[in-house]
Amino acid sequence: MNQASPMMEQYKAVKEQHPDKLLMFQVGDFYELFFEDAQVAAREMEIALTSRDAGSDNPIPLAGVPVHSAETYLNRLLSKGHKVVLCEQVEEAQQAKGLVRREITRILTPGTITDPEMLDENRNNYLVTVINHNHDCYGLAAVDISTGDFRVTEQRGEGAWDNISDELHRLQPSELLCGSPETEQLCRKQFAMKKSGLIEQLPYIPVLNESKDLIAQQWGDNTWSALSLDNYPLAAAAGASALAYLQLLQQLPAGEKLFHRLDLYFTNRYMIIDNVTARNLELTRSLREGGKQGSLLGLLDRCMTAMGRRLLRRWVELPLLKKNNIEERLDVLDEYRHKPLQRRELRKVLQDIFDLERFCSRLSYHRVNARDLVALKKTLLQIESLKKMIADFQSFLLKDIGANMPDFVSLINLIDMAVVDDPPLSLKDGGLFKTGYNEEADHLKAVAQESNTVLLDFEKKERERTGIKSLRLGYNRNFGYYIEVTRTNLELVPPEYQRKQTLVNAERFTTGELQKMEEQITGARDKLASLEYALFEELRDKISAYTDQLLSASDNLACLDCMQGLAEVAERHSFCRPVFSGNKDMLIRQARHPVVEQSVFERFVPNDIHMDKKHYLLVITGPNMAGKSTYIRSAALIAVMAQMGSFVPAGEAELPILDRIFARVGASDDLSRGQSTFMVEMQETAGILKEATSDSLIVLDEIGRGTSTYDGMSIARSVLEYISREIKAKTLFSTHYHELTDLEGNLPGVKNYTIAVKEKGKQVIFLRQLVPGKADKSYGINVARLAGVPLEVLIRAEKILNELEMAASSAGDQQLSLLPMVSEPSSDYTRELEIIDQLKELDLNRITPLEAIQKLYDLQKQLLDYEHIDSEEEFG
């Protein structure tokens, strides 16, 4: 058995402290992983798996990555749900006495990343904890240590888990920690298709007194009583558990204010949008691509700062309920609209503002460098410009932002006086501070500068004394200062020169005089570098005192940025300001779907949406592809946009304040949980009927289509009746069950609409226009024709349809006859098949282009003439 080397013993000692994490152990310029960690890392990072002590009886599996490019590989590990420990060399190898000293410098988990290079600046990176008591009481904490965002909530009662589940889907945590095995199982079931992130049990849950102490340590003794946390023990426990976990990971820097406030929030204080509705309306992610592009957020995001983009996502997900708050945002957009020049100047200034939120977090962890401070100074100068610009605006929110924006003149002066304009990236090599900032540093700089002159004089003197014209003085970190002489001049080297290094074409020497000079110069430079590092730490501490003001400015800038971005979108796409009336009517003229309008190549056809006390349940019929789903979604999206404080895609819009929006649009099998399309559809419908109120908006598309015709129609009608009589919510109900249109006049609130189409022979043209009334046919076979279904299939489908229609109109029970799978085509299609045969017989290799065009013209004429005759016979 091989004796482990001292370095491997050192590795094992560190690994024993963190057996559940991947240990990246610095060896020179590489991070190395050993044993099982190496095998996991090689697979996940897609790098080579090698071995240490390859020639021995028991080689050790090894995988390694360069230190300078480690961030990319770290990202891969964290995104796949791994925890990582970085153990780094904290002294130079040449300075070490024996084994190089190594220490744990960082512990990284998916939810505790602070490095900007490893984060998406457009969204928060949440660590979430969920605590439960029985099956109807849950507490949740959502923590983003990269921004200092810390919020807790509590849900109780029958729908508690559903609300927590919706919140988890909204937050999309990178790391989810559960208070019990039951909750962990629920979360894994909920996120069964989730391919990234980490779900596991909390290692420790503090008791009540510990929770109070942890919260007091972070936010002061008064926080518990100020937020009445005695009334929300599970919210407090979830928050305290998150703090305890961060302490365990060494992620709570002592003496630093990492989280600026504790926010106790409740989802029912905003418009409630459950996960299914958010997905179906594509609020923040498109159904097709799964990303921001193609979603409402993707359309609305014209923010210039990272803080603004993160806040806008929250606005989209959590629309407001209080009319005054909504109107305040709309007033700002109105003023922006009337002052386009000032708004554009504002955008230019915002473009140069960096991420203050995440800067403050890195400041707390002592992970900012001199370049960050220069960037901070530039941002603060822009803030001073912004304060002057928004002073000319009159809307309440902008005046409030201007009044509450902190003054940073003293901080700007401090950084400007201290740090050079173009500092080095490293903090340990000196060159950070301006002359005049520190007297001792100035003295050491002068010594260093004088030494340059002394070295040049020494080089000149040695050339003259030895007669070696190519003699030159040089320096490197390993050998220090040296005199380099080419091989052709070695016979001229004086005897007092001491050989230091041999190269291919030269020799390097030193002398007693040069060694003495080196000691003085190196001593001064080392002292200067050490002094500047200490001065930088002092400066960083001084800047930390401004954290509260910086975070306040960040909040104000994010709000300012969100509103200017929404104003930019409103101007670009001709949106209008919505009006909130007290009569609860929804009257929208020329409504458009904001996202579809920008993605279609044809002209988008707007439609009116009218729902009031008399007609609050719209039954919409029409063929597939005609635009029913687009129409009903547009109503929901306009409501979301209005209540988040945005202008809306319409000519005019009078809206009520809605408490919830439900959108059940399409469904897919949930095979991971053994649930069919129809089961998913019925579960979602059950949730709507249970939770909706008269102040809700319900969007239902094709309820009941996942089962047999009569079952589906029965369920659809029953749902309509329940909404009409029990809930009385504003509802848009699209369906292919034309029988449901008979409810108009017989069921309170029902009004029929259809999407107009125009027939031209066998072709159907979708006009996209909503008109009162009902569709008289489904046009399914016409749509199949447009989709390119083979002609034989269309012929067969039409025969079956005719027989079904005849059977339905005849008395008595009739059964569909067993027609042959391939039947003779009807006379209607004889000419079409003849033309197809002519096309097949064409020999394209023996026909000229002109003859081909003529033949195509003749065939098209035959078709059109035949359809014209057929149309006259049908309607004549």
Side-chain angles (χ1 to χ4, degrees):
M1 188 171 178
N2 297 335
Q3 178 72 32
S5 68
M7 190 197 79
M8 290 308 299
E9 291 291 348
Q10 189 184 40
Y11 169 86
K12 289 177 180 178
V14 177
K15 180 64 182 176
E16 284 175 4
Q17 300 173 40
H18 299 279
D20 61 328
K21 304 174 186 72
L22 298 176
L23 174 56
M24 296 181 71
F25 195 73
Q26 187 180 1
V27 181
D29 294 331
F30 279 79
Y31 286 124
E32 295 186 353
L33 301 96
F34 302 103
F35 302 106
E36 289 183 9
D37 285 5
Q39 295 169 342
V40 172
R43 181 182 68 248
E44 301 287 33
M45 295 194 291
E46 299 176 6
I47 58 176
L49 178 66
T50 61
S51 62
R52 182 181 176 87
D53 302 330
S56 67
D57 295 335
N58 296 298
I60 299 170
L62 164 67
V65 296
V67 170
H68 68 83
S69 60
E71 299 296 337
T72 302
Y73 296 102
L74 274 171
N75 262 331
R76 291 183 193 174
L77 292 174
L78 294 169
S79 67
K80 293 179 180 180
H82 295 287
K83 301 177 181 180
V84 181
V85 175
L86 292 184
C87 184
E88 298 183 320
Q89 296 176 183
V90 292
E91 63 178 346
E92 297 291 340
Q94 59 268 27
Q95 296 173 348
K97 296 178 179 178
L99 190 63
V100 175
R101 189 160 55 90
R102 294 177 173 89
E103 292 179 0
I104 293 173
T105 54
R106 293 159 73 191
I107 301 176
L108 296 171
T109 69
T112 59
I113 305 169
T114 57
D115 293 324
E117 298 83 5
M118 300 171 67
L119 292 168
D120 180 354
E121 68 171 17
N122 299 325
R123 59 181 302 132
N124 288 93
N125 186 63
Y126 283 115
L127 161 74
V128 171
T129 58
V130 179
I131 305 291
N132 71 295
H133 177 68
N134 297 327
H135 298 293
D136 59 353
C137 300
Y138 291 88
L140 179 148
V143 185
D144 183 351
I145 68 170
S146 73
T147 64
D149 186 19
F150 199 118
R151 51 190 61 213
V152 295
T153 188
E154 186 168 307
Q155 299 289 335
R156 294 175 175 271
E158 185 181 352
W161 171 249
D162 290 336
N163 293 334
I164 290 294
S165 174
D166 287 337
E167 192 64 0
L168 290 174
H169 278 283
R170 184 183 72 80
L171 294 167
Q172 289 294 300
S174 298
E175 190 170 354
L176 177 54
L177 304 173
C178 308
S180 68
E182 295 78 18
T183 305
E184 183 184 357
Q185 186 177 2
L186 274 174
C187 290
R188 289 190 181 280
K189 187 177 179 182
Q190 191 67 229
F191 295 96
M193 301 303 292
K194 189 175 175 67
K195 293 181 170 53
S196 62
L198 179 68
I199 303 174
E200 61 181 18
Q201 248 185 277
L202 275 162
Y204 173 66
I205 301 175
V207 297
L208 182 64
N209 287 338
E210 289 176 306
S211 295
K212 286 184 176 181
D213 289 343
L214 284 165
I215 288 171
Q217 288 168 18
Q218 276 299 310
W219 295 286
D221 295 332
N222 297 326
T223 302
W224 189 277
S225 57
L227 295 177
S228 302
L229 290 179
D230 280 325
N231 299 325
Y232 308 105
L234 290 177
S241 296
L243 290 172
Y245 179 71
L246 292 172
Q247 272 189 348
L248 197 65
L249 295 180
Q250 304 173 26
Q251 293 284 10
L252 290 181
E256 296 291 345
K257 188 171 184 179
L258 181 58
F259 305 111
H260 39 296
R261 61 176 175 269
L262 176 62
D263 182 13
L264 175 65
Y265 75 105
F266 299 95
T267 53
N268 60 5
R269 294 178 185 174
Y270 301 92
M271 177 199 281
I272 298 175
I273 303 174
D274 61 39
N275 169 57
V276 173
T277 298
R279 183 192 68 220
N280 288 334
L281 294 180
E282 299 180 288
L283 292 186
T284 60
R285 288 175 293 171
S286 70
L287 287 171
R288 177 171 293 184
E289 303 295 335
K292 179 177 161 184
Q293 191 69 28
S295 69
L296 179 65
L297 178 63
L299 175 81
L300 296 180
D301 188 357
R302 293 296 178 271
C303 295
M304 306 303 290
T305 69
M307 297 95 73
R309 285 189 282 274
R310 292 193 293 269
L311 180 61
L312 180 65
R313 178 182 290 271
R314 201 172 303 157
W315 283 12
V316 170
E317 294 171 332
L318 298 171
L320 302 171
L321 288 179
K322 292 184 179 178
K323 181 182 175 183
N324 288 345
N325 294 342
I326 299 170
E327 295 288 0
E328 285 174 357
R329 292 181 187 175
L330 294 174
D331 287 342
V332 174
L333 268 62
D334 227 350
E335 190 169 10
Y336 276 146
R337 179 174 60 175
H338 290 101
K339 296 178 178 178
L341 294 178
Q342 292 94 320
R343 189 184 77 241
R344 285 165 195 150
E345 285 299 314
L346 193 72
R347 282 177 66 81
K348 288 180 183 177
V349 175
L350 285 167
Q351 190 173 10
D352 294 327
I353 287 178
F354 85 145
D355 198 336
L356 279 176
E357 259 188 327
R358 286 186 168 163
F359 168 83
C360 289
S361 174
R362 288 184 290 115
L363 184 66
S364 300
Y365 283 105
H366 296 177
R367 290 179 190 153
V368 298
N369 57 36
R371 291 185 183 180
D372 292 324
L373 299 191
V374 172
L376 175 63
K377 181 182 74 172
K378 291 177 180 177
T379 287
L380 299 180
L381 288 168
Q382 297 292 4
I383 290 175
E384 293 301 309
S385 300
L386 279 175
K387 286 167 66 175
K388 294 174 184 175
M389 293 172 66
I390 60 178
D392 295 332
F393 289 88
Q394 300 303 314
S395 49
F396 171 78
L397 267 183
L398 289 180
K399 290 180 74 69
D400 188 57
I401 288 172
N404 290 310
M405 191 73 80
D407 188 315
F408 291 109
V409 173
S410 59
L411 180 53
I412 292 170
N413 290 337
L414 174 62
I415 299 172
D416 187 59
M417 180 179 65
V419 183
V420 297
D421 293 334
D422 187 20
L425 187 61
S426 172
L427 296 177
K428 296 186 176 180
D429 294 337
L432 305 174
F433 289 92
K434 290 181 178 178
T435 301
Y437 180 70
N438 180 273
E439 188 175 336
E440 185 180 354
D442 289 348
H443 170 70
L444 291 172
K445 280 182 198 174
V447 171
Q449 288 169 357
E450 288 172 9
S451 67
N452 290 334
T453 304
V454 171
L455 289 169
L456 288 172
D457 289 343
F458 176 79
E459 183 184 67
K460 182 180 178 182
K461 183 188 73 174
E462 288 301 298
R463 281 179 185 168
E464 292 173 352
R465 185 171 75 87
T466 61
I468 305 172
K469 293 183 180 180
S470 62
L471 179 149
R472 72 178 190 88
L473 205 61
Y475 173 83
N476 68 36
R477 296 185 68 175
N478 292 324
F479 291 96
Y481 287 99
Y482 55 81
I483 301 166
E484 186 172 290
V485 179
T486 58
R487 287 197 174 277
T488 55
N489 292 299
L490 289 179
E491 70 276 3
L492 298 176
V493 172
E496 65 269 21
Y497 275 28
Q498 304 163 29
R499 182 173 280 102
K500 199 167 189 179
Q501 187 184 10
T502 300
L503 305 178
V504 175
N505 296 315
E507 294 277 347
R508 289 176 176 175
F509 303 90
T510 187
T511 67
E513 184 182 1
L514 182 58
Q515 288 174 339
K516 193 172 183 181
M517 290 167 55
E518 181 177 354
E519 289 176 8
Q520 294 174 345
I521 294 167
T522 304
R525 287 182 176 171
D526 288 346
K527 283 181 183 177
L528 178 60
S530 297
L531 176 61
E532 287 206 357
Y533 186 78
L535 290 172
F536 185 83
E537 288 185 316
E538 288 179 12
L539 178 62
R540 192 166 51 196
D541 291 341
K542 290 178 183 177
I543 293 171
S544 294
Y546 289 87
T547 298
D548 286 341
Q549 294 98 307
L550 291 170
L551 289 171
S552 174
S554 174
D555 290 344
N556 286 319
L557 289 168
C559 186
L560 191 71
D561 193 21
C562 272
M563 292 184 293
Q564 71 77 23
L566 291 175
E568 186 78 10
V569 174
E571 180 184 68
R572 184 176 301 182
H573 302 306
S574 300
F575 291 175
C576 76
R577 175 171 180 161
V579 175
F580 293 94
S581 61
N583 59 18
K584 298 191 176 182
D585 293 346
M586 178 179 278
L587 306 173
I588 307 172
R589 187 180 63 81
Q590 301 288 285
R592 291 122 52 199
H593 189 294
V595 180
V596 173
E597 179 187 25
Q598 305 307 317
S599 59
V600 295
F601 296 106
E602 58 188 276
R603 184 182 72 85
F604 188 91
V605 179
N607 282 289
D608 295 346
I609 302 171
H610 284 187
M611 287 190 281
D612 52 29
K613 292 179 182 177
K614 187 177 179 181
H615 297 131
Y616 53 84
L617 207 167
L618 309 188
V619 176
I620 304 157
T621 53
N624 283 321
M625 295 176 60
K628 299 191 302 297
S629 294
T630 298
Y631 174 77
I632 62 178
R633 280 188 177 104
S634 66
L637 288 174
I638 285 172
V640 169
M641 291 172 67
Q643 285 185 226
M644 64 175 278
S646 169
F647 283 18
V648 298
E652 295 176 6
E654 180 182 332
L655 301 167
I657 299 289
L658 300 171
D659 62 353
R660 295 189 69 145
I661 290 180
F662 298 91
R664 215 224 66 77
V665 183
S668 58
D669 291 349
D670 194 343
L671 299 178
S672 64
R673 284 182 269 177
Q675 295 178 346
S676 68
T677 298
F678 185 65
M679 174 60 81
V680 173
E681 179 181 311
M682 289 300 99
Q683 286 179 336
E684 293 173 2
T685 303
I688 292 171
L689 299 181
K690 190 184 298 183
E691 302 292 339
T693 73
S694 60
D695 291 324
S696 302
L697 174 66
I698 302 174
V699 171
L700 295 172
D701 190 16
E702 307 292 352
I703 287 291
R705 66 180 172 181
T707 186
S708 69
T709 301
Y710 291 127
D711 273 357
M713 187 162 43
S714 302
I715 291 168
R717 174 164 180 160
S718 182
V719 167
L720 274 173
E721 290 178 354
Y722 187 84
I723 293 172
S724 169
R725 292 179 175 141
E726 301 296 329
I727 303 175
K728 295 180 171 59
K730 290 175 179 59
T731 304
L732 294 149
F733 191 103
S734 75
T735 184
H736 279 295
Y737 298 135
H738 298 160
E739 296 82 356
L740 297 178
T741 57
D742 294 339
L743 295 174
E744 182 178 343
N746 298 314
L747 194 64
V750 174
K751 176 73 174 174
N752 288 335
Y753 286 91
T754 186
I755 306 290
V757 298
K758 181 179 179 181
E759 292 184 78
K760 186 177 179 182
K762 298 292 182 185
Q763 304 300 318
V764 61
I765 300 171
F766 301 123
L767 301 179
R768 315 290 186 195
Q769 190 68 54
L770 191 81
V771 295
K774 57 185 180 179
D776 55 357
K777 53 192 292 191
S778 293
Y779 301 97
I781 295 176
N782 303 74
V783 173
R785 179 192 294 273
L786 288 174
V789 172
L791 185 59
E792 288 83 354
V793 176
L794 298 175
I795 294 170
R796 171 68 174 166
E798 189 157 295
K799 284 199 170 188
I800 295 171
L801 177 63
N802 290 335
E803 182 164 334
L804 284 170
E805 289 174 342
M806 288 175 64
S809 63
S810 302
D813 294 333
Q814 293 193 25
Q815 182 176 332
L816 183 64
S817 65
L818 299 176
L819 296 173
M821 292 306 293
V822 180
S823 62
E824 290 296 321
S826 67
S827 59
D828 292 349
Y829 294 104
T830 302
R831 182 60 58 87
E832 291 184 11
L833 290 176
E834 289 175 358
I835 290 170
I836 289 173
D837 287 339
Q838 291 182 52
L839 283 169
K840 289 178 178 177
E841 291 171 1
L842 282 178
D843 187 347
L844 298 180
N845 293 321
R846 296 177 178 271
I847 191 171
T848 67
L850 187 59
E851 289 172 334
I853 292 171
Q854 182 62 44
K855 187 66 176 175
L856 188 61
Y857 173 79
D858 292 340
L859 293 174
Q860 185 185 56
K861 191 171 185 301
Q862 291 178 49
L863 272 176
L864 293 176
D865 289 346
Y866 184 74
E867 286 186 354
H868 177 67
I869 293 168
D870 182 65
S871 179
E872 285 181 346
E873 290 174 353
E874 185 176 349
F875 295 104

